[in-house]
Amino acid sequence: MSFETQNAMPNAVLVGFTIRNKRDERNALDDPLEELRLLVDSMVVGIAGEVFQRNMTIEGRTLISAHLLELAKNEVARTGAGLLCVDDTLSGSQRANIEDYVGCEVLDRTEVILQIFALRAQTSEGILQVELAQLTYLLPRLKGRGGQELSALGGGIGTRGPGETKLETDRRVIRKRISNLSKKIEQLGQRREVQRRKRRQSGVPLIALVGYTNAGKSTLLNTLSGPGKPEAYTDDRLFATLDPLTRKAYAAPLEREVLITDTVGFIDRLPTELVAAFRATLEEAIFADLLVIVVDGSDHDWLRKLEVVERTLSDIGAGGIPKMTVFSKSDLYPDPSEEPGEIVISGGDLMNGLRLSAVTGDGIDSFWEDVCQALKA
Ligand SMILES: Nc1nc2c(ncn2[C@@H]2O[C@H](COP(=O)(O)OP(=O)(O)OP(=O)(O)O)[C@@H](O)[C@H]2O)c(=O)[nH]1
Ligand SMILES: [Mg+2]
């Protein structure tokens, strides 16, 4: 079944903002709603309209200002959209207040990401992790939601205990489900641990491809593992990969086989509780001998995204693993003199990274040389 047929969501209006007196790299972007647009498109939802306010003053009840709320309401009315997607984290009551005013369903940024994850999860572990992430995010936000999300979770929701309010029952049932899911995921994690120990004993090095979503990790994995193997799924949508995939590849300079693993992409402003829910998936990166940070060098916004990746790696405890950075999609760089590779970044450091293309094969030989150097070191 394609994603398209799974999802029957109405068209959406996008809402974004930057906050007054708050440092925000997005203030420097020409198109600060670009990422939310890609996310909503990846959720297979059409975009009906967009509203954005720079230097907004936060309004506690709705997070967004009265002015932006008015703009959003008008845009929903004008376009007949059935969904409003807000590019930030909302509390349960903020979301309910916006829904009341605008008159259509509201999803915040994290709920959009979770919706994409739910569409993409394929393996049983991936599906369990997505449900855990959804419930963990939902639990503190239950208040103000009409309870429809519980029916959306499917059957198995228990009945109300004596003297319990609907909200208390919902919370209790969700906590129990969270604890069951965590146990199941932990059991699967133990199985992984056994596999990892075996690998370590065999001495085969493990290289993890990490990076921002859509950087080109899965495409690179396919190129590195060579023809004739089932291909990792690649797509010009965000979070194409949810379940990690490990492949053998022959490292010619080392004259031996290595293992390469693809990982779920990172993204800016992903709440830490969600990162924790994906810990099992990310463990593939945490236990690698070498991390290859894949940066889409054709993306004008690559530096901000690289910073997000570096921050996330240290958050998940992978900060100390040897790393190398490569710039992917070199066939798309418009002007060779503007290619990344040697770029002075804000602190004055020189950013050195190999340029390669998984599509043309350019730079792949040098990639293996660099990997072997790094593994020997
Ligand atoms: N032209 C060109 N396109 C590329 C290259 N590498 C990847 N792409 C394209 O970039 C898009 C994203 O590639 P993926 O390999 O799915 O990216 P990813 O990093 O695995 O993304 P997620 O799984 O979503 O995190 C796809 O449309 C690829 O075809 C490249 O070297 N050159
Ligand atoms: Mg991928």
Side-chain angles (χ1 to χ4, degrees), residues 290-332:
L290 175 67
L291 295 180
V292 174
I293 302 181
V294 182
V295 180
D296 179 352
S298 71
D299 181 348
H300 58 91
D301 201 17
W302 67 268
L303 182 57
R304 183 182 68 86
K305 293 179 179 176
L306 175 57
E307 285 165 359
V308 171
V309 170
E310 288 176 338
R311 218 178 309 134
T312 313
L313 285 174
S314 86
D315 286 350
I316 62 169
I321 301 172
K323 292 176 192 65
M324 62 183 253
T325 306
V326 301
F327 289 97
S328 64
K329 311 191 189 179
S330 65
D331 57 297
L332 296 179

Side-chain angles (χ1 to χ4, degrees), residues 42 120 209-223 232-242 262-266 294 296 298 327-333 356-362:
S42 302
R120 300 296 157 98
L209 305 178
V210 296
Y212 212 79
T213 178
N214 209 41
K217 301 176 291 297
S218 303
T219 312
L220 183 58
L221 176 75
N222 286 335
T223 300
Y233 177 70
T234 65
D235 194 349
D236 202 12
R237 282 195 161 123
L238 306 190
F239 300 110
T241 305
L242 199 60
D262 188 12
T263 57
V264 61
F266 300 153
V294 182
D296 179 352
S298 71
F327 289 97
S328 64
K329 311 191 189 179
S330 65
D331 57 297
L332 296 179
Y333 304 167
L356 55 82
S357 167
V359 169
T360 65
D362 181 42

Side-chain angles (χ1 to χ4, degrees), residues 41-109:
D41 178 63
S42 302
M43 190 171 61
V44 203
V45 164
I47 293 166
E50 304 181 354
V51 290
F52 191 86
Q53 186 181 6
R54 266 178 221 275
N55 298 317
M56 185 192 79
T57 305
I58 286 182
E59 177 74 53
R61 279 189 70 253
T62 50
L63 185 73
I64 63 179
S65 67
H67 171 67
L68 189 56
L69 194 59
E70 190 63 31
L71 290 179
K73 183 180 181 158
N74 291 341
E75 192 64 4
V76 167
R78 186 184 71 80
T79 59
L83 185 67
L84 196 72
C85 297
V86 179
D87 194 18
D88 213 303
T89 302
L90 298 171
S91 71
S93 60
Q94 286 170 339
R95 184 187 33 205
N97 290 334
I98 300 176
E99 281 180 352
D100 279 351
Y101 189 80
V102 175
C104 71
E105 194 189 343
V106 172
L107 292 181
D108 75 2
R109 178 181 169 90

Side-chain angles (χ1 to χ4, degrees), residues 102-350:
V102 175
C104 71
E105 194 189 343
V106 172
L107 292 181
D108 75 2
R109 178 181 169 90
T110 304
E111 289 169 320
V112 170
I113 294 171
L114 285 170
Q115 186 73 28
I116 302 169
F117 284 3
L119 285 172
R120 300 296 157 98
Q122 300 282 329
T123 64
S124 53
E125 190 170 18
I127 292 165
L128 292 174
Q129 287 185 90
V130 172
E131 192 186 346
L132 177 62
Q134 282 176 321
L135 293 180
T136 310
Y137 195 68
L138 173 68
L139 189 60
R141 287 174 178 74
L142 267 186
K143 216 175 138 202
R145 274 235 137 169
Q148 76 275 17
E149 68 284 341
L150 285 187
S151 51
L153 292 172
I157 297 294
T159 48
R160 202 178 294 186
E164 260 183 340
T165 64
K166 167 98 171 59
L167 186 62
E168 283 163 347
T169 314
D170 290 351
R171 285 207 178 116
R172 177 173 57 79
V173 169
I174 290 181
R175 270 195 213 100
K176 184 146 179 260
R177 181 79 186 140
I178 286 179
S179 133
N180 282 341
L181 285 166
S182 305
K183 264 184 227 141
K184 279 192 200 154
I185 291 172
E186 207 185 300
Q187 281 161 6
L188 290 168
Q190 282 164 2
R191 211 179 300 163
R192 273 175 194 279
E193 174 57 36
V194 173
Q195 288 168 356
R196 257 197 305 272
R197 217 173 303 142
K198 269 196 209 143
R199 179 190 63 78
R200 226 171 288 140
Q201 280 162 2
S202 72
V204 180
L206 178 69
I207 299 156
L209 305 178
V210 296
Y212 212 79
T213 178
N214 209 41
K217 301 176 291 297
S218 303
T219 312
L220 183 58
L221 176 75
N222 286 335
T223 300
L224 294 174
S225 57
K229 306 206 177 123
E231 300 248 303
Y233 177 70
T234 65
D235 194 349
D236 202 12
R237 282 195 161 123
L238 306 190
F239 300 110
T241 305
L242 199 60
D243 302 299
L245 188 72
T246 304
R247 284 273 152 78
K248 277 187 196 148
Y250 185 70
L254 278 180
E255 295 180 343
R256 67 173 300 173
E257 280 199 324
V258 296
L259 289 171
I260 305 189
T261 187
D262 188 12
T263 57
V264 61
F266 300 153
I267 195 162
D268 193 15
R269 294 177 288 139
L270 191 65
T272 40
E273 70 255 41
L274 291 202
V275 177
F278 283 91
R279 217 186 148 77
T281 303
L282 293 170
E283 272 177 2
E284 298 296 310
I286 300 170
F287 292 101
D289 301 296
L290 175 67
L291 295 180
V292 174
I293 302 181
V294 182
V295 180
D296 179 352
S298 71
D299 181 348
H300 58 91
D301 201 17
W302 67 268
L303 182 57
R304 183 182 68 86
K305 293 179 179 176
L306 175 57
E307 285 165 359
V308 171
V309 170
E310 288 176 338
R311 218 178 309 134
T312 313
L313 285 174
S314 86
D315 286 350
I316 62 169
I321 301 172
K323 292 176 192 65
M324 62 183 253
T325 306
V326 301
F327 289 97
S328 64
K329 311 191 189 179
S330 65
D331 57 297
L332 296 179
Y333 304 167
D335 175 356
S337 65
E338 280 180 22
E339 288 171 32
E342 279 202 344
I343 290 178
V344 182
I345 52 177
S346 45
D349 295 342
L350 203 58

